[in-house]
């Protein structure tokens, strides 16, 4: 529901989703430092996208800065695009932070179970492991970066050589961690044909979703009826 409103071009949807996101952050009690650490890796991408928008969009009026093709429309469009993508990334980071891998695995398995010829347990396990390894890789990247900095690796000017000392240790640790997880699954007798016991569906959790759906529907109908 949030994603369908974020693709809209109206500014009021971004304002409401921003307030909703701040409220969910407070309710989740997620440490701000942990959230900023995960969001920090996406800031270069958002900054590059912002530069593309302001330099490639031709406004109707005169440029703001002399000698640079930057218009007010380009700044507004670039800020709006980065705001929308930032909210999408923020909601994604919040979802992965408060959702347990086991719960996500059960959800994917339950959703794919009615579809024939679909390995629902395998897909659910792969998605849950992906979320788990994503946070582990971020921690490993931070450890390798600090170790590289302590050894004065930040003084290396060649970007290819610098990337070599950062990427190779991360790949080596990731493959080692994946091999350990594979051995752990084999040791515990994991099979895809084992019966799955799903917990009871918490219907009380549907109440805020129903209210949010009603609010989105009423708000969307109100804005669509405006001239």
């Amino acid at each position: 529901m949030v994603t369908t409103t974020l693709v809209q071009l109206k500014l009021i949807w971004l304002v409401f989703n921003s307030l909703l996101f701040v409220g969910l952050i407070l309710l989740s009690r997620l440490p701000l430092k942990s959230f900023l650490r995960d969001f920090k890796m996406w800031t270069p991408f958002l900054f590059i996208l912002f530069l593309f928008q302001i330099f490639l969009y031709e406004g109707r009026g005169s440029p703001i800065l002399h000698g640079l093709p930057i218009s007010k429309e380009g700044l507004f469009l670039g800020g709006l695009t980065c705001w929308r993508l930032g909210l999408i990334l923020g909601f994604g980071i919040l979802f992965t932070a408060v959702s347990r891998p086991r719960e996500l695995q059960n959800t994917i398995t339950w959703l794919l179970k009615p579809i024939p010829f679909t390995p629902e347990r395998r897909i659910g396990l792969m998605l849950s492991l992906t979320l788990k390894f994503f946070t582990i890789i971020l921690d490993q990247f931070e450890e390798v970066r600090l170790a590289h900095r302590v050894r004065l690796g930040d003084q290396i000017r060649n970007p290819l050589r610098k990337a070599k000392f950062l990427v190779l240790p991360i790949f080596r640790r990731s493959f080692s961690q994946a091999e350990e997880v594979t051995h752990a699954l084999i040791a515990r007798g994991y099979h895809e044909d084992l019966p799955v016991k799903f917990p009871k569906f918490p219907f009380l959790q549907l109440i805020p979703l129903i209210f949010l759906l009603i609010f989105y529907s009423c708000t969307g109908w109100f804005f669509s009826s405006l001239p």
Side-chain angles (χ1 to χ4, degrees), residues 35-219:
F35 173 79
L36 294 178
R37 183 195 62 181
D38 296 337
F39 190 82
K40 183 175 63 175
M41 62 177 300
W42 297 103
T43 51
F45 168 74
L46 295 177
F47 181 71
I48 293 175
L49 183 62
F50 178 74
L51 293 180
F52 269 103
Q53 291 288 342
I54 63 175
F55 283 109
L56 297 182
Y57 185 82
E58 297 181 359
R60 298 179 180 179
S62 59
I64 299 177
L65 299 177
H66 180 70
L68 293 177
I70 301 177
S71 59
K72 294 181 179 179
E73 293 84 357
L75 287 174
F76 178 76
L77 182 61
L80 204 65
T81 303
C82 292
W83 189 1
R84 182 184 295 112
L85 288 179
L87 283 176
I88 294 175
L89 293 173
F91 276 111
I93 294 173
L94 179 62
F95 172 76
T96 57
V98 301
S99 301
R100 298 177 180 177
R102 185 67 179 181
E103 295 174 348
L104 181 62
Q105 179 181 351
N106 292 337
T107 303
I108 298 299
T109 304
W110 180 76
L111 289 174
L112 298 179
K113 192 174 182 179
I115 303 177
F117 308 107
T118 303
E120 65 276 359
R121 292 201 63 183
R122 187 187 308 171
I123 297 176
L125 178 63
M126 291 298 104
L127 288 178
S128 62
L129 290 179
T130 300
L131 288 179
K132 187 67 176 179
F133 273 104
F134 183 74
T135 56
I136 293 176
I137 289 176
L138 288 179
D139 295 336
Q140 291 178 353
F141 176 78
E142 188 67 19
E143 293 178 2
V144 173
R145 188 185 67 84
L146 292 177
H148 185 66
R149 185 177 180 181
V150 169
R151 292 169 175 81
L152 302 180
D154 53 346
Q155 297 182 2
I156 299 177
R157 301 300 180 183
N158 191 348
L160 296 178
R161 187 182 177 187
K162 194 173 185 178
K164 172 185 175 182
F165 289 108
L166 290 176
V167 174
L168 291 182
I170 296 175
F171 270 104
R172 184 173 63 252
R173 291 189 177 190
S174 300
F175 284 121
S176 177
Q177 190 76 20
E179 187 176 2
E180 292 178 3
V181 172
T182 304
H183 291 321
L185 290 174
I186 295 174
R188 288 163 175 79
Y190 174 79
H191 295 285
E192 293 185 0
D193 54 353
L194 294 176
V196 183
K197 295 182 180 180
F198 297 106
K200 294 183 179 180
F201 188 81
F203 288 96
L204 291 178
Q205 296 183 7
L206 287 177
I207 296 177
L209 293 179
I210 293 175
F211 277 107
L212 187 63
L213 178 60
I214 294 174
F215 178 82
Y216 275 152
S217 302
C218 296
T219 308

Side-chain angles (χ1 to χ4, degrees), residues 223-227:
F223 285 121
S224 61
S225 61
L226 293 178

